[in-house]
């Protein structure tokens, strides 16, 4: 009788232990899931990361969702519908936060810098662009300012002393070549340069790649990686309300992004146009 009671007791304990283990394991799986939002060709990178052995070892399960609109993706992230996103520069994020005080984002870390380029299908050198020509430029604040800075850097315009990362066309001080500026949706750049009315366009590298353009080979001029372009470094972002535990999980994902196998894949897949930047968030604020 005693023996049977002991056996029954052991059986009950085993069932309880199994239940606790199953519950704990399920909780772990739920806790380690990350939904990441991105735009365009960057989805390739994060789908590659999702399948990496290092991702499995870190007990992370990454689901990648592609968006076509940056504001919609940022809003979904700020509202917790997307855990993290990876598509935007620091300047773009700051511009979004400035316009959306109720849906704020914060930065987990830096990923890469993609040089912005000036492209044309009509001219092979900047000096060939006639005075009075139309130049297409992005219609969102961060990329408008970024494009104008590049035009100033190559000597086509000058900017006002108080020009900032959120300044628009009214931040131009002098326009000696009397260029006209056509504000466009970022994603239309590769098509716009084929328009007979447009002499050149400023196109971000993610969009340029989708249009089969390589910023290092096909642009008339492009940004250099230095202190002056740090606002253009891309970041991994999450909701400002994300918990410490969530942020630790996202940091693991960022570490995998910067691993050697992943960086080797990115260099090969994108012809070296996504230049790795592994800096602390404080670097962006210096």
């Amino acid at each position: 009788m005693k023996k049977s009671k002991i056996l029954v007791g052991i059986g009950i304990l085993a069932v309880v232990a199994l239940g606790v283990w199953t519950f704990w394991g399920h909780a772990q799986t739920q806790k380690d899931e990350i939904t990441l939002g991105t735009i365009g060709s960057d989805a390739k990178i994060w789908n590659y990361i999702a399948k990496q052995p290092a991702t499995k070892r870190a007990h992370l399960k990454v689901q990648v969702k592609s968006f076509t609109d940056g504001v919609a993706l940022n809003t979904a992230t700020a509202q917790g519908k997307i855990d993290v996103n990876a598509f935007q520069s620091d300047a773009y994020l700051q511009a979004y936060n400035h316009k959306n005080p109720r849906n704020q984002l914060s930065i987990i870390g830096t990923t890469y810098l993609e040089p912005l380029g000036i492209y044309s299908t009509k001219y092979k050198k900047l000096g060939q662009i006639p005075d009075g020509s139309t130049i297409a430029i992005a219609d969102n604040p961060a990329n408008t300012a970024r494009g104008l800075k590049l035009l100033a850097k190559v000597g086509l315009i000058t900017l006002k002393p108080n020009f900032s990362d959120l300044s628009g066309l009214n931040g131009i001080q002098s326009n000696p070549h009397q260029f006209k500026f056509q504000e466009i949706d970022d994603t239309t750049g590769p098509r716009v340069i084929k328009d007979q009315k447009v002499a050149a366009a400023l196109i971000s590298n993610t969009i340029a790649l989708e249009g089969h353009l390589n910023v290092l080979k096909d642009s008339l001029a492009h940004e250099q990686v230095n202190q002056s372009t740090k606002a253009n470094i891309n970041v991994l972002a999450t909701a400002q309300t994300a918990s410490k535990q969530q942020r630790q999980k996202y940091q693991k994902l960022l570490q995998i992004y910067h691993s050697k196998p992943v960086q080797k894949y990115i260099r090969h897949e994108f012809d070296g146009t996504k230049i790795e930047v592994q800096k602390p968030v404080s670097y962006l604020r210096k």
Side-chain angles (χ1 to χ4, degrees):
M1 188 72 177
K2 265 188 175 181
K3 189 175 179 182
S4 63
K5 282 185 178 180
I6 291 169
L7 289 173
V8 169
I10 291 171
I12 291 169
L13 285 173
V15 170
V16 170
L18 180 62
V20 170
W21 175 260
T22 303
F23 175 80
W24 182 84
H26 178 71
Q28 282 294 98
T29 302
Q30 290 295 102
K31 185 183 72 173
D32 290 336
E33 286 181 354
I34 298 175
T35 302
L36 181 141
T38 189
I39 290 177
S41 60
D42 274 15
K44 287 183 181 179
I45 296 172
W46 296 100
N47 278 316
Y48 181 81
I49 289 171
K51 297 172 185 175
Q52 283 293 292
T55 306
K56 292 177 182 176
R57 287 196 299 271
H59 306 293
L60 299 178
K61 183 179 179 182
V62 181
Q63 181 184 8
V64 180
K65 290 191 175 181
S66 291
F67 283 67
T68 56
D69 180 79
V71 174
L73 175 48
N74 272 344
T75 302
T77 306
Q79 293 175 350
K81 297 171 185 174
I82 296 291
D83 293 320
V84 289
N85 69 45
F87 78 97
Q88 66 193 319
S89 66
D90 175 48
Y92 188 100
L93 183 146
Q94 297 307 321
Y96 172 84
N97 276 350
H98 182 74
K99 283 192 169 184
N100 297 274
R102 294 184 180 179
N103 287 309
Q104 297 281 286
L105 297 173
S106 63
I107 296 171
I108 296 297
T110 62
T111 52
Y112 61 77
L113 185 138
E114 291 184 284
L116 178 73
I118 304 172
Y119 297 85
S120 176
T121 56
K122 302 167 188 68
Y123 307 103
K124 295 191 180 297
K125 294 181 180 179
L126 290 175
Q128 294 175 345
I129 301 175
D131 289 0
S133 293
T134 296
I135 295 179
I137 192 165
D139 64 356
N140 67 72
N143 285 338
T144 302
R146 183 175 178 179
L148 292 174
K149 282 183 178 181
L150 178 56
L151 291 172
K153 191 75 175 176
V154 297
L156 295 182
I157 61 173
T158 63
L159 303 174
K160 293 177 181 177
N162 63 347
F163 191 89
S164 76
D165 290 334
L166 299 180
S167 294
L169 295 172
N170 58 0
I172 297 173
Q173 180 163 283
S174 66
N175 181 10
H177 299 284
Q178 299 178 321
F179 291 134
K180 301 178 187 72
F181 293 97
Q182 178 182 331
E183 293 186 277
I184 62 169
D185 182 300
D186 291 29
T187 61
T188 63
R191 296 199 304 274
V192 168
I193 56 173
K194 296 174 184 176
D195 185 335
Q196 290 303 311
K197 296 177 182 178
V198 173
L202 290 110
I203 307 173
S204 65
N205 188 55
T206 298
I207 304 304
L209 284 170
E210 289 174 5
H212 307 289
L213 298 168
N214 183 309
V215 68
L216 306 179
K217 301 171 185 176
D218 301 321
S219 66
L220 304 184
H222 59 78
E223 293 172 330
Q224 302 298 317
V225 182
N226 54 39
Q227 192 76 6
S228 70
T229 57
K230 68 180 182 180
N232 306 327
I233 293 170
N234 274 41
V235 297
L236 190 68
T238 189
Q240 203 170 69
T241 54
S243 68
K244 183 179 178 182
Q245 186 182 30
Q246 288 171 317
R247 289 172 188 274
Q248 288 172 344
K249 183 168 58 173
Y250 307 152
Q251 281 290 347
K252 288 182 186 178
L253 185 63
L254 185 66
Q255 288 169 9
I256 295 166
Y257 172 88
H258 286 295
S259 67
K260 287 182 179 179
V262 171
Q263 288 304 308
K264 183 179 178 181
Y265 168 80
I266 293 171
R267 284 192 298 273
H268 178 267
E269 191 70 21
F270 299 98
D271 293 328
T273 62
K274 293 180 187 282
I275 302 165
E276 182 186 14
V277 178
Q278 191 173 12
K279 297 281 188 182
V281 176
S282 59
Y283 170 81
L284 302 173
R285 304 289 166 257
K286 289 178 182 177

